[in-house]
Amino acid sequence: MYGMLYESVQHYIQKEYGMEMWKKICQIIDCKHNSFKTHQIYPDKMMPDFAAALSACSGESFDFCMNFFGKCFVRFFTNFGYDKMIRSTGRYFCDFLQSIDNIHLQMRFTYPKMKSPSMQLTNMDDKGAVILYRSGRTGMSKYLIGQMTEVAKEFYNLDMTAYVLESQNDICGGTAGPIKLSEGPMTVIVKYRLDFDNRDYMAKRVNVVAHPSQMKMPSVDLNVFLELFPFTIVLNHDMKITLAGEKIIETWILHNPGVNPKSFIGSHILDLFKCRRPKDTKIEWETILQMRTVLFEFELIRTGHNRAAYDAALNFDYDTFDDASLNEAQAMAVASAKEFSVEHVKDDEAAAATKDEIDPATGQRRPSVGLRSILLKGQMFYIKDVDSLIFLCSPLIENLDELHGIGLYLNDLNPHGLSRELVMAGWQHCSKLEIMFEKEEQRSDELEKSLELADSWKRQGDELLYSMIPRPIAERMRKSEEHVCQSFEEVSVIFIEVLNVYDSGSNNIQDAMQAVTTLNKVFSALDEEIISPFVYKVETVGMVYMAVSGAPDVNPLHAEHACDLALRVMKKVKAHALPGVAIRVGINSGPVVAGVVGQKVPRYCLFGDTVNTASRMESSSDPWKIQLSNYTATKVRKIGYKLELRGLVKVKGKGEMETFWLLEGPE
């Protein structure tokens, strides 16, 4: 079933019984769907399962719940505008009952996989009507009663009561389906009696008086009729073909080569055609008389895949064939078949000469593709003058490709009506769809490229952001967390200053540009030695490069990693051999507070006396020297770093401090 049916169930259970009831029902039947998509297919068994669960939770009977679901569907589909379709079927409720199959037929364009039931109006009187319901689904008979009741009430202002007269293969509340005693699919057949006020319809139907001009009209000449309508079949009381239009016979011969053309007339219609719609309908005189408003679909039974029959058609002696007993339509059809055999004999010889006819996998002859099966759609009319039923039909063709596929041409179609126009419109529609599809493909490619470009920009933006702000801090800011300030019990702060790069007293622009180039080389070399997450670059101010170990990622070995960085950058800058350029380094360890400061170009900054002391260690250091505070020196000496006592150094704002030179790392 399509999701629209289950959408109506979900909507009205929640509306009438509440959300908690719906959740409980879904839990009972183990339904994993939070919502249903209108055009998606879902299992048929869910409908009776929902009804059984609602019955268990609410205390109502199963039949009541299925009836309720049917009413809900009628209320629900008005949101899609289908109520206008029902109102337009006729003035009376019986008009709607006669048009149900036609409505389902038209809905196949929107819902191509719809397995609609077949409903036949078998009897009418002043007090109501009798309908015959056929379906491949079980447990839906009460659902249909709910639909009929709601349609009668909402669209025709009628109070209707329905009950079942006869039932076959219908299982109420079951999901396993009827027990199959044969290989073929079982059909559920239910006969309903619908009680409603039908006096207006019956009065209109019985009291129709023919116009005097119609009473004087001559009898129908079937030869003229068949000439006007080439796709027509005339049936007698035994449902045997007595006459047929030229194009019907011609098409039958093309699709059944090797069969005697004279055998068409006098055959039972089901010997030559398969009834596609309405399904499981008995093709009998009395039955068809009651279905004059129903659209029938008959598929031509063909032997086009029968190689022997095809060869017989090509070898048929049309020149000596006695066509004296054929009517004009049959004679023209035989002539067309003769032309067909002449045109295709050469193609047949060429096909027989090819090796592709033998399937190498099976060693057997492949079946010929041949012509596609033709589908005829139309209505059955009773003509009193000849006491016959006339199937007035036309081929069901969507576009030019399908027209050629069944062996017809535009001139073969009825000159009146819209058959030719619909085929051409279908072909033009397909062309427009192809153009639209190509445009959508182009837009899809452009969108894919735009998404790739957007991803690239996002990665570049993230890289730029993470170069300014640590990743953990940036992620917290993206989540709109206000507390972006954090304290650290102990970190090691490193300051590195580049010396002798620029003479502040010089006004030469080239000297300034040279200083910027040199400074960029040194800072780039320092950036290469930053190993995340052990050491994080904080900022550069003027000639000074600042880094920290132990923040924003806590690192118990912060002092060792800070000293390792200092030793590496010393070696790397010396290797560049920049003339006159030197660096000096200062390191101190202790507690700090870190956080993001500012909204325009935000920066991750460190605050505390530890930072000030580290800056003093750098400013009081010597070129190509690494000066450590006493606390940092004590931490790294224990693990083997080679240090040299510098002594007491007068530090601004601190007085005299004992410092050490860092010489080498541990062996």
Side-chain angles (χ1 to χ4, degrees), residues 357-390:
E357 286 189 85
I358 304 300
D359 191 338
T362 62
Q364 299 178 355
R365 185 185 299 275
R366 290 189 178 125
S368 173
V369 175
L371 301 173
R372 296 181 183 177
S373 184
I374 187 172
L375 195 64
L376 301 174
K377 175 183 175 182
Q379 284 182 264
M380 293 282 189
F381 295 95
Y382 174 69
I383 304 298
K384 185 177 180 181
D385 294 342
V386 292
D387 192 24
S388 299
L389 282 173
I390 292 182

Side-chain angles (χ1 to χ4, degrees), residues 274-329:
K274 177 184 178 182
C275 183
R276 291 273 300 270
R277 285 193 71 88
K279 295 180 181 179
D280 304 314
T281 300
K282 291 183 179 180
I283 306 301
E284 298 175 349
W285 179 267
E286 294 297 331
T287 303
I288 301 301
L289 284 179
Q290 298 173 355
M291 303 176 68
R292 289 170 297 188
T293 60
V294 176
L295 287 176
F296 285 82
E297 286 184 9
F298 284 94
E299 181 182 356
L300 183 66
I301 299 174
R302 51 194 288 263
T303 59
H305 289 173
N306 188 327
R307 186 67 185 183
Y310 186 74
D311 292 338
L314 296 180
N315 297 326
F316 192 83
D317 190 358
Y318 291 96
D319 295 329
T320 61
F321 179 71
D322 182 14
D323 57 354
S325 60
L326 300 180
N327 61 22
E328 184 179 358

Side-chain angles (χ1 to χ4, degrees), residues 278-467:
K279 295 180 181 179
D280 304 314
T281 300
K282 291 183 179 180
I283 306 301
E284 298 175 349
W285 179 267
E286 294 297 331
T287 303
I288 301 301
L289 284 179
Q290 298 173 355
M291 303 176 68
R292 289 170 297 188
T293 60
V294 176
L295 287 176
F296 285 82
E297 286 184 9
F298 284 94
E299 181 182 356
L300 183 66
I301 299 174
R302 51 194 288 263
T303 59
H305 289 173
N306 188 327
R307 186 67 185 183
Y310 186 74
D311 292 338
L314 296 180
N315 297 326
F316 192 83
D317 190 358
Y318 291 96
D319 295 329
T320 61
F321 179 71
D322 182 14
D323 57 354
S325 60
L326 300 180
N327 61 22
E328 184 179 358
Q330 289 174 310
M332 295 178 66
V334 170
S336 299
K338 178 180 178 181
E339 295 177 4
F340 172 81
S341 65
V342 173
E343 292 175 358
H344 288 75
V345 66
K346 294 182 179 180
D347 296 337
D348 180 69
E349 293 174 354
T354 59
K355 296 181 180 180
D356 291 338
E357 286 189 85
I358 304 300
D359 191 338
T362 62
Q364 299 178 355
R365 185 185 299 275
R366 290 189 178 125
S368 173
V369 175
L371 301 173
R372 296 181 183 177
S373 184
I374 187 172
L375 195 64
L376 301 174
K377 175 183 175 182
Q379 284 182 264
M380 293 282 189
F381 295 95
Y382 174 69
I383 304 298
K384 185 177 180 181
D385 294 342
V386 292
D387 192 24
S388 299
L389 282 173
I390 292 182
F391 180 41
L392 190 61
C393 60
S394 59
L396 197 59
I397 303 169
E398 294 183 357
N399 51 52
L400 291 177
D401 293 334
E402 191 169 337
L403 178 71
H404 298 317
I406 62 178
L408 294 178
Y409 297 88
L410 284 175
N411 288 337
D412 295 332
L413 303 181
N414 294 331
H416 54 83
L418 299 175
S419 298
R420 300 180 182 181
E421 287 77 2
L422 287 175
V423 172
M424 293 299 296
W427 173 70
Q428 294 173 1
H429 184 63
C430 289
S431 300
K432 291 180 180 179
L433 287 177
E434 289 177 358
I435 295 173
M436 292 175 60
F437 182 72
E438 291 176 358
K439 289 183 178 179
E440 289 299 323
E441 279 189 329
Q442 184 178 357
R443 290 180 59 186
S444 177
D445 293 339
E446 293 175 355
L447 181 60
E448 188 174 351
K449 293 178 181 178
S450 299
L451 290 175
E452 291 178 356
L453 187 60
D455 289 340
S456 175
W457 289 344
K458 184 178 183 301
R459 286 193 298 270
Q460 294 177 17
D462 288 343
E463 291 175 0
L464 179 61
L465 176 64
Y466 297 148
S467 67

Side-chain angles (χ1 to χ4, degrees), residues 499-558:
L499 306 174
N500 307 326
V501 174
Y502 178 62
D503 184 3
S504 59
S506 174
N507 293 325
N508 192 334
I509 295 179
Q510 291 193 359
D511 291 345
M513 293 178 65
Q514 181 62 36
V516 172
T517 302
T518 302
L519 197 61
N520 181 58
K521 289 182 179 180
V522 176
F523 283 173
S524 297
L526 300 182
D527 288 340
E528 293 175 359
E529 296 301 324
I530 296 293
I531 302 176
S532 179
F534 305 120
V535 182
Y536 174 76
K537 175 185 175 181
V538 179
E539 61 180 349
T540 57
V541 180
M543 309 294 177
V544 179
Y545 187 102
M546 179 182 177
V548 62
S549 179
D553 298 303
V554 177
N555 180 10
L557 303 178
H558 56 85

